[in-house]
Structure formats: C-alpha cells, structure tokens
C-alpha cells in the first residue's frame, strides 16, 4: 500500500475535505510523525478516510485504534491511557454513523462512565 507523510508539501486537502497528493485524490496510508516516531496512521480511499485509523503517544504506546467508513467512525473505537490501560471503548453504528455505546475507565482500570443509547 502506498504511504505518504502528512507533512509532505504535495499533500493537500480540497474544499470537500478530501486528501490530495500531487493534486489527485489519494488512496493509501497517510502517516504523521513527531520526530522519528509515527503518531498517526490513517487509510484513505479516493481522498476519504476509509479503513483502520491508529494513533500513538510520542513514546510509541498505542493511543487509539478504530475503523472509519467514508470519513466517519464505524464499529469499535478503543483508546488507551499513556500507561497502556484501556481508557475508552466506543461503538458506532455503521448505517447511521452515530455513537451507540461508550465505556470510560480511569488510569487504574476502574469504570468511571458507561452509556448505551436506548433502542427507541
């Protein structure tokens, strides 16, 4: 899969918020770095985020992971505290692009908030 750096001067965003590379809609991975460390990696299809998205803390610890469908969160998204403990888990509906369920934990792994959308 083709990969470009988000800071490449040939990477741009058009008025429709689509990713361009060399003035063409981009398909592949877009990586963002902080120094030598990768801190964000997104998959694009025809200029739209579409696929796995990941973020890392500057030390390389995974920060966030989830899937995006046509530019919108889809399915499960997980986020971790810097110490590696799960921070949140969110579930998004694929068909209506909305948050269905969320659980949040503190840095010791204790649930601090839980929420589920009613089926009404």
């Amino acid at each position: 899969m083709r990969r470009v750096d988000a800071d490449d001067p040939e990477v741009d965003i058009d008025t429709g918020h689509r990713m361009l590379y060399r003035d063409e809609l981009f398909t592949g991975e877009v990586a963002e770095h902080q120094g030598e460390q990768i801190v964000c990696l997104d998959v694009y299809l025809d200029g739209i985020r579409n696929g796995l998205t990941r973020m890392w803390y500057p030390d390389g610890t995974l920060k966030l992971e989830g899937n995006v469908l046509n530019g919108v969160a889809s399915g499960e998204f997980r986020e971790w505290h810097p110490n590696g403990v799960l921070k949140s888990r969110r579930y998004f509906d694929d068909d209506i692009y909305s948050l269905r369920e969320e659980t949040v934990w503190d840095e010791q792994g204790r649930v601090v908030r839980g929420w589920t959308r009613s089926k009404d």
Side-chain angles (χ1 to χ4, degrees):
M1 179 176 289
R2 191 162 106 179
R3 181 183 288 184
V4 297
D5 191 298
D7 293 327
D8 186 314
E10 296 188 275
V11 169
D12 199 7
I13 303 290
D14 71 6
T15 57
H17 302 286
R18 297 173 303 180
M19 178 69 64
L20 303 173
Y21 181 67
R22 297 183 176 162
D23 296 322
E24 294 185 10
L25 294 175
F26 181 72
T27 294
E29 296 177 329
V30 176
E32 187 175 333
H33 295 83
Q34 189 172 27
E36 295 296 314
Q37 177 62 44
I38 190 167
V39 292
C40 186
L41 185 63
D42 291 308
V43 175
Y44 283 79
L45 177 64
D46 296 326
I48 307 285
R49 279 190 353 177
N50 213 343
L52 185 62
T53 185
R54 288 188 196 151
M55 296 177 75
W56 293 266
Y57 289 101
D59 70 356
T61 303
L62 190 60
K63 180 178 183 177
L64 180 132
E65 183 176 70
N67 282 296
V68 176
L69 180 63
N70 297 318
V72 181
S74 174
E76 181 181 36
F77 262 72
R78 294 177 297 165
E79 185 176 3
W80 290 267
H81 289 284
N83 66 1
V85 171
L86 192 61
K87 179 178 183 178
S88 69
R89 183 172 24 217
R90 295 175 176 96
Y91 292 94
F92 295 86
D93 289 327
D94 294 339
D95 56 343
I96 58 173
Y97 307 121
S98 65
L99 185 61
R100 175 174 34 113
E101 182 180 330
E102 176 183 52
T103 305
V104 178
W105 293 268
D106 66 16
E107 289 186 6
Q108 288 72 46
R110 295 180 296 246
V111 173
V112 294
R113 184 175 69 240
W115 174 86
T116 301
R117 186 182 70 223
S118 65
K119 300 194 191 272
D120 300 342

